[in-house]
Amino acid sequence: MNEIKNAHKEEITNFRYYLDKINKRDLVISISFDLNLKLWNINNLECLYDNKIYRNESILYKAAFLNNNNQIYIISFYFIAYTKIKPIAVYDLKGEKVKEINESNCMTYFIDSYYDKKLSKNFIITGNKHVRAYDFNENKLFKVYDDDDYECHCSIIIFDKEEITKLIESSADGNIRIWNFHSGELLDKIKVCEDWVNGICLWNNDYLLAGCHDKKIKVVDLKKKTIIKVLNGHNDEVLTLKKIDHPQYGECLISQGYKDDGIKIWTNILDN
């Protein structure tokens, strides 16, 4: 196990993995309590980016990567405490602000990037009261995904393995919603919990795993639109899910709960 000692001066509050397929390297973003954002090449433990832009009155909330024409950018959302929400900012790896995304001054719990092969465009995806997609190159709002429910949207996945590109998202009202990414049409709504649905993860394209407030992980059959299995084992709400290829166990799920000291590894997810 490799360890980056003294990676931050303060507690790490946000951690995100990204596979850079073009440069064949594993990257990680880390954000600390003192508002410092860093980008790491995990293969050689090199720090590629060290953000010292934010001031004490700012709150650095979420960040993601975006690879545009083999140029990596840091996409970050922050707001000024007690005053106003700032638009999504785009920085290069030198720490220079490239631009701000128009119409993006909305609070968000989730932010990620997505490259659409059908349109040959990069998008920034966010979620809070509504889910939004922003056209990165044209620097404007592309689509709002809204069915008039005033709830927080926690996790978002873009699924583009079929003819229709789908946006799958989880909500604080206990629903999984599936949208046509390009048209904004709501395709399906599946109830999986009575409260927050946090992290979600696709499993072999036909199934979705949902980490729920009721301490359970629900296995959802996307074609039948039903829960086919429930995984128990967490002591508090389940926050994060990730599918991995384990060298010994093959396809596995890793999960983390709100007050768990470590992560859990699940095997044979679809077995009875």
Side-chain angles (χ1 to χ4, degrees):
M1 180 180 69
N2 292 326
E3 179 180 356
I4 304 175
K5 295 183 178 180
N6 302 316
H8 285 271
K9 294 180 180 179
E10 301 252 355
E11 174 185 354
I12 296 174
T13 58
N14 202 297
F15 192 80
R16 191 159 198 170
Y17 169 80
Y18 168 68
L19 175 61
D20 183 0
K21 295 181 180 179
I22 296 176
N23 297 304
K24 297 181 180 179
R25 57 185 180 176
D26 299 283
L27 303 178
V28 161
I29 273 183
S30 59
I31 302 174
S32 58
F33 190 73
D34 60 357
L35 311 180
N36 197 199
L37 183 153
K38 295 186 179 183
L39 175 65
W40 305 88
N41 181 347
I42 295 303
N43 302 106
N44 60 12
L45 306 186
E46 178 187 3
C47 183
L48 303 174
Y49 177 75
D50 190 347
N51 187 318
K52 294 180 168 54
I53 295 172
Y54 298 100
R55 302 294 184 259
N56 290 333
E57 70 271 15
S58 302
I59 298 176
L60 177 59
Y61 205 70
K62 295 291 181 180
F65 315 90
L66 189 146
N67 193 325
N68 188 60
N69 296 323
N70 203 24
Q71 175 68 48
I72 292 179
Y73 296 98
I74 303 294
I75 312 299
S76 59
F77 165 76
Y78 70 103
F79 61 94
I80 307 298
Y82 310 114
T83 55
K84 63 179 180 179
I85 297 172
K86 300 289 288 183
I88 293 170
V90 180
Y91 293 90
D92 62 23
L93 292 190
K94 296 179 181 179
E96 298 293 330
K97 182 187 286 188
V98 176
K99 62 180 177 179
E100 292 182 341
I101 303 300
N102 295 333
E103 305 175 77
S104 67
N105 53 334
C106 302
M107 182 70 179
T108 181
Y109 287 121
F110 179 94
I111 188 168
D112 204 355
S113 64
Y114 165 67
Y115 180 72
D116 190 308
K117 294 181 181 179
K118 298 173 183 176
L119 298 179
S120 299
K121 286 186 175 183
N122 272 302
F123 291 92
I124 298 172
I125 313 296
T126 68
N128 186 18
K129 179 182 176 182
H130 305 302
V131 175
R132 292 176 170 86
Y134 300 92
D135 187 313
F136 176 79
N137 298 100
E138 296 186 14
N139 200 33
K140 65 180 182 180
L141 180 67
F142 171 72
K143 198 72 65 178
V144 178
Y145 307 87
D146 174 31
D147 66 345
D148 297 324
D149 284 326
Y150 187 81
E151 297 291 347
C152 298
H153 302 270
C154 307
S155 295
I156 303 166
I157 297 171
I158 307 295
F159 180 61
D160 56 7
K161 305 300 182 184
E162 299 175 349
E163 183 178 351
I164 296 177
T165 299
K166 297 177 181 178
L167 184 151
I168 306 173
E169 48 101 350
S170 63
S171 173
D173 65 359
N175 284 299
I176 299 294
R177 290 176 176 82
I178 303 175
W179 306 81
N180 182 318
F181 175 73
H182 295 114
S183 71
E185 176 190 1
L186 180 61
L187 303 175
D188 286 309
K189 183 191 292 188
I190 306 171
K191 188 76 171 181
V192 298
C193 185
E194 294 303 319
D195 212 322
W196 290 70
V197 183
N198 299 306
I200 54 176
C201 174
L202 278 172
W203 192 273
N204 300 342
N205 299 341
D206 295 324
Y207 303 92
L208 185 81
L209 307 180
C212 300
H213 186 269
D214 61 8
K215 309 176 187 179
K216 304 177 188 297
I217 300 172
K218 313 291 177 63
V219 183
V220 180
D221 187 316
L222 292 175
K223 292 183 178 179
K224 296 180 180 178
K225 305 174 189 178
T226 57
I227 298 171
I228 62 170
K229 192 174 183 178
V230 177
L231 306 179
N232 296 287
H234 282 279
N235 299 319
D236 209 319
E237 63 177 306
V238 184
L239 298 179
T240 304
L241 302 177
K242 180 73 175 179
K243 182 180 178 181
I244 65 169
D245 189 5
H246 193 280
Q248 180 179 353
Y249 303 114
E251 289 185 335
C252 296
L253 174 73
I254 58 174
S255 62
Q256 185 175 29
Y258 175 54
K259 295 182 179 179
D260 292 343
D261 293 330
I263 64 172
K264 298 186 184 297
I265 301 178
W266 308 80
T267 61
N268 305 317
I269 297 297
L270 298 180
D271 293 350
N272 294 323

